Amino acid sequence: MVVSSPLHVGGASAHLLRPWANSSSRPLIVAISGGIGSGKTTFARALAPFAAAYADADQLARDVVMPGTPGLMALVERFGSKILNEDGTLNRQQLAGLIFGDSALRAEVEQIMHPLIAQEARALLSTAPAEGMAVYDVPLIRNAEEAAPFDVVIMVGAPLEEKLTRLVSRGLSPDDAQQRIAAQIDDATRREYASVWVDNTGTQSDLEGLAEVVVKTWLLPTVM
Ligand SMILES: CC(C)(COP(=O)(O)OP(=O)(O)OC[C@H]1O[C@@H](n2cnc3c(N)ncnc32)[C@H](O)[C@@H]1O)[C@@H](O)C(=O)NCCC(=O)NCCS
Ligand SMILES: Nc1ncnc2c1ncn2[C@@H]1O[C@H](COP(=O)(O)OP(=O)(O)OP(=O)(O)O)[C@@H](O)[C@H]1O
């Protein structure tokens, strides 16, 4: 029987919003998502020891625009060499400055990069065996189409002030942090696509502990 009451570890909690059916004939494909600075990567990494396959969309987004890649060439063709550093690598700050205040330019960059990221992610996640779990750390699940490839979508949320503090301590200016949050959907919309909602309102170790309880209770209850 599925335990549907919320799970708590310290100040962090997980809430089952939309149960799913586990299949024994194919792997469980799990997306971990949430707003910038919410803690989704921390949660996803805590699931990694239980995952048979793992992919990180932000990392793949870096890989597909390494020097010499078709991805970087396509970006330069569209935006010019002003988006490059002197050593030929992508100037990430410059590209961020262009796209986070302009949704049309952001959509153009996404059109170039997202198919390349998705192709790499599929290759990594498809290596999971039928009884295993594939975990994808992916920031952008904004509509039903983006949620569709996953059996389970776990959304991580945190209070706005905490997200801002974390982003600033990671080197973004307060204005840039606000701008990135404003460029994303809000948590009410994220809830529409969540199978599980995680409140990252405790310590980091609470969040990591909660990830393990979520695996044992909901994701792989028969394996653990
Ligand atoms: C603009 C870029 C170069 C800025 O790089 P930077 O190192 O500062 O940030 P990083 O890549 O680590 O992203 C951090 C976070 O920004 C947010 N973010 C990134 N891209 C987007 C986007 N298109 N829309 C909304 N939020 C985004 C996400 O929450 C992400 O986790 C980079 O974010 C990028 O290439 N974005 C376009 C590709 C994309 O959509 N990536 C998201 C993963 S699919
Ligand atoms: N509960 C917490 N308490 C304190 N720090 C935390 C907590 N959760 C996460 N952090 C820290 O906040 C920062 C952002 O967390 P993380 O990278 O997991 O977020 P994210 O949602 O993946 O961010 P991004 O969208 O930028 O990739 C990290 O430095 C992480 O160690």
Side-chain angles (χ1 to χ4, degrees):
M1 200 187 73
V2 180
V3 179
S4 57
S5 48
L7 307 175
H8 294 268
V9 173
S13 58
H15 306 260
L16 190 64
L17 302 186
R18 292 178 187 83
W20 57 91
N22 284 0
S23 157
S24 56
S25 59
R26 57 180 194 81
L28 190 69
I29 314 291
V30 181
I32 312 301
S33 196
I36 185 164
S38 61
K40 69 179 176 336
T41 298
T42 302
F43 191 89
R45 288 197 180 140
L47 293 185
F50 307 97
Y54 189 89
D56 173 343
D58 283 335
Q59 182 56 50
L60 295 177
R62 288 168 190 265
D63 296 346
V64 301
V65 293
M66 295 292 272
T69 56
L72 187 57
M73 284 188 244
L75 288 180
V76 171
E77 199 169 301
R78 171 61 186 86
F79 295 100
S81 51
K82 66 175 185 288
I83 60 163
L84 294 178
N85 294 308
E86 276 180 12
D87 64 1
T89 56
L90 177 66
N91 184 330
R92 306 182 67 81
Q93 213 176 345
Q94 177 81 19
L95 188 62
L98 283 174
I99 70 171
F100 286 117
D102 184 325
S103 59
L105 289 185
R106 193 160 67 246
E108 282 194 55
V109 168
E110 290 178 5
Q111 248 167 38
I112 293 170
M113 292 181 64
H114 285 189
L116 300 170
I117 296 166
Q119 190 180 8
E120 296 294 320
R122 271 196 300 274
L124 288 169
L125 299 175
S126 65
T127 60
E131 68 283 5
M133 169 173 76
V135 170
Y136 191 26
D137 175 0
V138 56
L140 305 180
I141 295 185
R142 304 168 287 193
N143 50 51
E145 194 187 342
E146 289 177 345
F150 308 107
D151 299 303
V152 182
V153 174
I154 299 181
M155 291 283 189
V156 181
L160 177 62
E161 281 310 313
E162 305 240 344
K163 290 195 282 196
L164 285 171
T165 307
R166 286 174 201 154
L167 293 177
V168 169
S169 73
R170 225 170 54 186
L172 282 184
S173 73
D175 280 353
D176 285 349
Q178 293 268 18
Q179 189 184 46
R180 283 219 203 179
I181 289 172
Q184 299 191 333
I185 58 169
D186 60 18
D187 279 353
T189 310
R190 287 191 182 95
R191 271 178 202 272
E192 291 178 32
Y193 304 107
S195 321
V196 172
W197 184 267
V198 169
D199 276 322
N200 180 13
T201 36
T203 64
Q204 184 163 328
S205 89
D206 291 343
L207 183 67
E208 290 160 348
L210 182 68
E212 192 167 335
V213 176
V214 166
V215 173
K216 292 178 176 169
T217 314
W218 289 331
L219 296 175
L220 298 173
T222 53
V223 180
M224 306 304 300

